[in-house]
């Protein structure tokens, strides 16, 4: 393939990635991973000012790899929702920059600069 065609495919992939951004619905919120605690658990800061101990559900353990500073979608538990939750989705760096441009992450930027 020519270089021009490869660059065009790369741009299409980025556009496709941005157009399919998963946004929080219902009780779900954005979150930033503060610290990994081990055993698929981590401490996550939410825009509502709460710090939750979140885990990655079993169905996502091998698909979802997260690090400190990653932006995620967190679903608080029905019982103990202020303290615990599940990590459902992780945003890529391209998606994160798009969310910042559109203003979805304003609340998170107040707490911590990432």
């Amino acid at each position: 393939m020519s270089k021009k065609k490869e660059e065009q495919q790369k741009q299409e992939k980025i556009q496709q990635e941005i157009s399919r951004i998963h946004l929080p619905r219902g009780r779900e919120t954005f979150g930033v991973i503060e610290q990994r605690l081990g055993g698929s658990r981590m401490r996550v800061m939410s825009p509502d000012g709460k710090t939750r101990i979140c885990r990655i559900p079993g169905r996502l353990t091998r698909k979802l790899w997260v690090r400190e500073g990653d932006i995620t979608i967190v679903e608080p538990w029905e019982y103990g929702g202020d303290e615990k939750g599940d990590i459902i989705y992780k945003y890529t760096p391209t998606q994160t920059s798009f969310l910042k441009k559109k203003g979805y992450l304003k609340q998170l930027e107040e707490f911590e600069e990432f």
Side-chain angles (χ1 to χ4, degrees):
M1 269 195 249
S2 67
K3 274 196 169 222
K4 189 175 183 181
K5 201 170 198 178
E6 287 177 13
E7 288 180 29
Q8 190 176 21
Q9 285 179 344
K10 189 175 179 182
Q11 287 295 330
E12 287 176 8
K13 184 178 178 185
I14 289 172
Q15 285 297 87
Q16 192 176 39
E17 186 175 288
I18 288 175
S19 66
R20 296 182 183 172
I21 288 186
H22 184 274
L23 294 173
R25 296 184 198 143
R27 298 179 48 226
E28 300 172 351
T29 62
F30 289 109
V32 178
I33 296 178
E34 286 184 339
Q35 182 181 12
R36 294 187 56 186
L37 303 173
S40 79
R41 286 181 167 60
M42 44 222 69
R43 184 172 290 128
V44 178
M45 172 67 91
S46 296
D48 54 6
K50 297 176 183 171
T51 302
R52 293 180 172 93
I53 303 296
C54 295
R55 69 182 174 108
I56 298 173
R59 63 190 162 97
L60 297 174
T61 48
R62 298 196 180 197
K63 296 177 189 173
L64 194 65
W65 294 85
V66 293
R67 295 183 180 170
E68 293 177 9
D70 283 348
I71 310 242
T72 59
I73 292 181
V74 175
E75 181 178 15
W77 287 1
E78 271 187 52
Y79 304 106
D82 291 345
E83 300 139 11
K84 296 185 180 182
D86 288 334
I87 295 175
I88 294 175
Y89 187 80
K90 176 188 128 181
Y91 289 105
T92 63
T94 308
Q95 291 172 333
T96 303
S97 64
F98 177 78
L99 289 171
K100 283 182 185 178
K101 283 181 196 173
K102 292 294 182 181
Y104 288 109
L105 302 179
K106 292 270 189 211
Q107 296 168 335
L108 287 176
E109 290 175 355
E110 292 173 5
F111 290 111
E112 191 176 325
E113 193 65 33
F114 41 81

